[in-house]
Amino acid sequence: MKKVTTVCPYCGAGCKLNLVVDNGKIIRAEAANGVTNQGELCLKGYYGWDFLNDTKLLTPRLTQPLIRRQKGGKFEAVTWDEAIRYTAQRLKEIKQKHGPRSIMHTGSSRGTGNETNYVMQKFARAVIGTNNVDCCARVCHGPSVAGLQATLGNGAMSNSIGDIENSKCLLVIGYNCADSHPIVARRVIKAKEKGAQIIVCDPRRIETARIADQHLQIKNGCNMALVNAFAHVLIEENLYDHDYVAKYTEGFEEYRKNVADYSPEAVAEQTGVSAQQIRQAMRTYAAAPSATIMWGMGVTQFGQAVDVVKGLAGLALLTGNLGRANVGVGPVRGQNNVQGACDMGVLPNEFPGYQSVTDPKVRAKFADAWGIDVNQMDTEIGHRITEIPHLAIEGHVKAYYIMGEDPLQTEADLSLVRKGFEALEFVVVQDIFMTKTAEQADVILPATSWGEHGGVFSCADRGFQRFEKAIEPKYNVKRDWEIISLLATELGYPMHYNDNQEIWDEMRSLCPLFYGATYEKMGELGHIQWPCTTLESPGTQYLYADNRFDTPTGKGQLFAAPWRAPAEVPDDSYPLVLCTVREVGHYSCRSMTGNCAALQTLADEPGFVQMHPQDAEALGIRDQQLVWVASRRGKVISRANFNERINTGAVYMTYQWWIGACNELTQENLDPISKTPETKYCAVKVEQI
Ligand code: SF4
């Protein structure tokens, strides 16, 4: 029997755990004393591993390479040599015929690790010759990255998960941490126990709202109006830090003008909360000796998400709540390595280490290190994953190489996504399970899973942590980066790595931000937060320590935009708002957690549609009754779940379920900057079956 210390593969809290292995099988998970989890785990950490033992899997594990030679034909098991040859040949033909920008790639924000993401973006850029590489940050915290880069200079949490419990005020907006990051929720409870004021802005009375000092039960879709009203109060009531604003920020006069019309009184009806509540929230926030703003997808999955993130950064700038311990801005990243996928340049606009693809010097550096002609590099920003359905239908994108993502389950407006997939000539899926997307692939390349390989993850607070291999893979599968390397070599770009560390060291040598985060140091310290620019540095607990921001001028940028309505508002035909939310027992598309016996028992298909009893009773719907939920894009079966903790006029669905998939109903309305869809808001109706 042995114990292997690793990092949980589910959410960005980055909890460390020990997998106890006996005779090549995992027999249990125990909490380890990681920097972020301090010896605690949630249900997913304790019970989210038994798919590794090949128990009764709901979704088949991918065990060998498969090719489907004709659309609509059957998969055929092939050798690795044949799968690699065939895939490389098809990609080569498409590249020759339609050019490198006709091929799209994804990295993965799940259990594969940073090294693989680095290799995937290198494959796209150096081998195929395109910046068309992206990850699921696009559908979750893409607006946080764009909004914080523009205002503060870095698109990540300014502080640490550990800082949360020592902050004296937590402003939690659009973030249900109890369901999405339970161990982060523990920090919120600890902060409360230490006397922090908790302010929650959320349409639902979520768990955090139950312990909050103030709950602003806002209407869905009003975030920009609320954030502008917050800024209005800080300025009008003279609650802002004049000195800090004068010394460390820019744009105050324009900002003041832009929020002038957003008095709490003016937005009370629109937001659904009284002017007094809005004023009180900001009096509390401004008076706190240290205050932190935390948000989740209740902020980012809207058509106006980047503006709201900039507005939240503005509140921290106005009050000087940046650049020291226990303050700051905290977009808590969703999947366990979505921060890492971004860190590693699985973004269409940035190389690893957030270096711009449009900067000729940066391109020259990478071309030199990768041994390619700089003139063969793509000079334009690549496609985003949310643009692919349209680009495929219009004939601009012909091939899609998808690693560890399931867009046919997780993207908005699935009927549109399916049309996009039908228009593609060639789809390669590299994954561990036969997901909804894998079912539509032309080639399936089976990879090792978390537990079967090691590497480095980045948790939500910029912390690099090593995770270890616990068991030998049982099937004819390969490591993700090994598969990509074989494809690169077959395409005429010899790529060979001996191990993760070799990849990591190549990445470090090209990324000043991460240069000091060596494997050895991660082994010693357990958790290193970037920036870590020198071999001596232990990493950076909080950003902007000298109140110098990483913007072109070194100053924080104050920004406010007028509120824009969501794209589709309720009407007589579709009178309710649908908002997609999280479920505590399952993660993302459920391919991993759905194959864990203990987690499976928590909930079953079809998923629930949470309804306020008043809305349900008006429609003659009983609790637990099967119902149709329909939008202008589709119709699904679900089960009514009465819930008095939500607002009337809105219903809530989680997106883990294949039967009753809420993304059949959602719509795009992409944020114009981040291209993130508005999955938190569309119009639906609920009917009895
Ligand atoms: Fe920790 Fe998140 Fe894993 Fe739960 S799912 S154990 S909170 S990392």
Side-chain angles (χ1 to χ4, degrees):
M1 197 181 297
K2 64 174 179 177
K3 274 188 192 181
V4 178
T5 302
T6 189
V7 179
C8 176
Y10 295 111
C11 88
C15 300
K16 287 208 171 167
L17 56 87
N18 295 318
L19 289 174
V20 182
V21 182
D22 188 17
N23 204 17
K25 286 200 161 196
I26 315 284
I27 56 170
R28 66 176 178 274
E30 297 171 346
N33 198 20
V35 170
T36 62
N37 65 314
Q38 300 177 313
E40 296 183 289
L41 292 176
C42 81
L43 283 174
K44 294 188 285 291
Y46 279 119
Y47 300 112
W49 46 266
D50 67 351
F51 66 88
L52 289 168
N53 287 345
D54 190 18
T55 47
K56 292 175 201 153
L57 298 181
L58 196 64
T59 321
R61 179 79 194 260
L62 299 170
T63 58
Q64 58 192 338
L66 301 171
I67 291 178
R68 182 177 5 229
R69 294 182 198 275
Q70 285 185 330
K71 293 279 177 203
K74 287 197 170 155
F75 280 121
E76 166 195 338
V78 295
T79 62
W80 272 105
D81 280 352
E82 185 165 6
I84 295 295
R85 234 185 354 257
Y86 181 80
T87 307
Q89 184 59 31
R90 294 290 308 271
L91 289 175
K92 193 171 167 187
E93 285 164 8
I94 290 170
K95 180 178 166 181
Q96 278 171 352
K97 193 165 166 197
H98 303 286
R101 283 180 71 89
S102 67
I103 301 174
M104 180 68 194
H105 310 75
T106 77
S108 176
S109 304
R110 295 198 275 175
T112 191
N114 281 342
E115 294 86 342
T116 292
N117 280 313
Y118 172 81
V119 172
M120 178 53 103
Q121 63 80 39
K122 180 175 175 180
F123 178 84
R125 293 183 164 118
V127 183
I128 301 297
T130 176
N131 288 317
N132 290 349
V133 60
D134 202 3
C135 67
C136 71
R138 188 68 48 208
V139 296
C140 57
H141 269 292
S144 300
V145 177
L148 292 179
Q149 279 182 337
T151 48
L152 307 178
N154 287 289
M157 274 178 89
S158 65
N159 285 54
S160 304
I161 288 172
D163 276 6
I164 293 167
E165 71 178 74
N166 296 314
S167 191
K168 292 299 171 203
C169 176
L170 298 177
L171 175 59
V172 181
I173 175 165
Y175 177 41
N176 182 7
C177 49
D179 280 0
S180 51
H181 303 86
I183 293 301
V184 175
R186 291 282 299 135
R187 299 282 188 165
V188 175
I189 291 167
K190 287 176 188 174
K192 172 80 179 171
E193 287 167 353
K194 291 181 181 180
Q197 291 284 306
I198 313 287
I199 305 164
V200 171
C201 308
D202 201 290
R204 296 187 298 166
R205 192 160 172 74
I206 53 173
E207 289 300 319
T208 314
R210 284 151 76 113
I211 62 159
D213 299 279
Q214 298 168 49
H215 176 205
L216 280 60
Q217 193 163 12
I218 54 176
K219 290 183 184 170
N220 306 67
C222 71
N223 288 342
M224 192 76 252
L226 180 73
V227 172
N228 283 347
F230 281 162
H232 181 105
V233 172
L234 292 175
I235 295 168
E236 184 208 25
E237 297 194 13
N238 213 14
L239 300 170
Y240 70 98
D241 185 334
H242 290 244
D243 217 35
Y244 191 93
V245 167
K247 276 192 192 149
Y248 305 120
T249 74
E250 286 178 336
F252 181 74
E253 282 312 316
E254 186 70 16
Y255 179 73
R256 182 211 294 264
K257 275 187 222 151
N258 288 343
V259 299
D261 292 340
Y262 289 84
S263 70
E265 292 72 20
V267 302
E269 193 181 336
Q270 181 186 0
T271 58
V273 288
S274 70
Q276 181 58 22
Q277 283 177 292
I278 295 172
R279 289 186 183 280
Q280 188 54 45
M282 279 304 98
R283 288 169 191 158
T284 304
Y285 174 73
S290 55
T292 298
I293 306 175
M294 299 165 73
W295 67 88
M297 285 173 234
V299 162
T300 59
Q301 290 183 328
F302 280 99
Q304 193 181 12
V306 174
D307 289 349
V308 175
V309 170
K310 289 178 177 175
L312 291 171
L315 303 180
L317 285 168
L318 278 182
T319 52
N321 273 305
L322 286 159
R324 56 197 161 95
N326 312 326
V327 297
V329 287
V332 192
R333 306 298 291 263
Q335 295 199 31
N336 78 317
N337 201 37
V338 68
Q339 180 67 53
C342 297
D343 293 347
M344 294 301 110
V346 178
L347 293 170
N349 59 331
E350 283 168 334
F351 285 102
Y354 303 99
Q355 301 174 83
S356 174
V357 298
T358 57
D359 182 335
K361 281 196 199 127
V362 172
R363 282 202 303 274
K365 177 173 80 170
F366 279 90
D368 188 42
W370 292 344
I372 57 170
D373 179 355
V374 70
N375 297 314
Q376 286 174 4
M377 288 191 112
D378 192 353
T379 57
E380 291 174 37
I381 291 170
H383 304 319
R384 286 87 164 180
I385 53 175
T386 46
E387 297 172 317
I388 297 308
H390 293 290
L391 291 169
I393 291 164
E394 290 159 12
H396 302 298
V397 169
K398 301 287 185 184
Y400 202 171
Y401 181 3
I402 301 164
M403 178 177 72
E405 299 274 351
D406 189 9
L408 282 165
Q409 173 78 13
T410 58
E411 286 193 21
D413 191 357
L414 286 177
S415 61
L416 171 70
V417 182
R418 278 193 293 273
K419 276 188 208 136
F421 269 73
E422 282 160 19
L424 289 165
E425 283 182 17
F426 188 53
V427 177
V428 182
V429 170
Q430 189 166 306
D431 211 310
I432 59 174
F433 288 113
M434 184 61 90
T435 60
K436 292 289 156 200
T437 307
E439 285 171 7
Q440 303 305 316
D442 298 288
V443 173
I444 289 179
L445 303 172
T448 52
S449 164
W450 167 83
E452 297 168 343
H453 57 235
V456 176
F457 291 143
S458 306
C459 63
D461 67 0
R462 299 171 279 108
F464 291 133
Q465 303 190 112
R466 279 170 58 180
F467 64 101
E468 305 298 336
K469 174 178 173 174
I471 57 169
E472 287 301 323
K474 299 179 190 66
Y475 312 111
N476 185 18
V477 296
K478 291 184 187 293
R479 280 225 54 169
D480 283 303
W481 56 255
E482 191 185 348
I483 301 169
I484 302 165
S485 300
L486 288 169
L487 275 175
T489 304
E490 186 68 24
L491 280 160
Y493 180 92
M495 192 189 277
H496 176 77
Y497 294 104
N498 290 305
D499 54 28
N500 286 314
Q501 189 170 353
E502 196 178 337
I503 302 168
W504 185 256
D505 288 343
E506 177 181 313
M507 182 283 297
R508 280 196 309 112
S509 73
L510 289 161
C511 298
L513 210 52
F514 312 142
Y515 175 70
T518 62
Y519 251 54
E520 293 76 16
K521 201 191 287 180
M522 279 186 276
E524 280 163 33
L525 302 180
H527 174 262
I528 299 177
Q529 290 170 281
W530 60 259
C532 181
T533 55
T534 66
L535 295 178
E536 293 72 38
S537 165
T540 307
Q541 182 193 343
Y542 52 86
L543 301 173
Y544 321 121
D546 52 359
N547 290 314
R548 183 170 172 80
F549 295 94
D550 296 321
T551 55
T553 60
K555 298 208 169 185
Q557 302 296 305
L558 290 165
F559 176 89
W563 170 81
R564 283 199 306 272
E568 186 182 69
V569 294
D571 57 18
D572 289 347
S573 305
Y574 296 92
L576 298 164
V577 172
L578 169 66
C579 179
T580 60
V581 290
R582 292 292 179 101
E583 180 150 345
V584 69
H586 287 290
Y587 214 78
S588 195
C589 63
R590 197 169 54 109
S591 60
M592 289 161 78
T593 51
N595 285 302
C596 296
L599 300 175
Q600 256 186 51
T601 59
L602 290 175
D604 202 0
E605 290 187 280
F608 292 112
V609 53
Q610 294 175 13
M611 302 186 74
H612 196 284
Q614 280 176 26
D615 288 332
E617 279 157 17
L619 295 165
I621 289 169
R622 299 183 312 281
D623 194 21
Q624 304 303 309
Q625 181 184 346
L626 287 176
V627 292
W628 286 113
V629 188
S631 76
R632 288 184 174 82
R633 291 154 295 282
K635 179 175 179 179
V636 298
I637 282 181
S638 191
R639 193 181 293 281
N641 179 221
F642 284 15
N643 191 329
E644 290 184 340
R645 288 164 61 187
I646 65 173
N647 45 334
T648 56
V651 296
Y652 295 81
M653 295 173 80
T654 63
Y655 63 92
Q656 279 82 21
W657 308 104
W658 299 316
I659 302 169
C662 64
N663 279 322
E664 298 287 355
L665 313 173
T666 53
Q667 46 105 37
E668 289 187 290
N669 190 29
L670 304 182
D671 180 282
I673 298 166
S674 68
K675 308 291 181 190
T676 304
E678 192 160 67
T679 43
K680 291 285 186 222
Y681 199 108
C682 71
V684 296
K685 61 183 173 187
V686 182
E687 294 174 333
Q688 298 185 47
I689 286 182

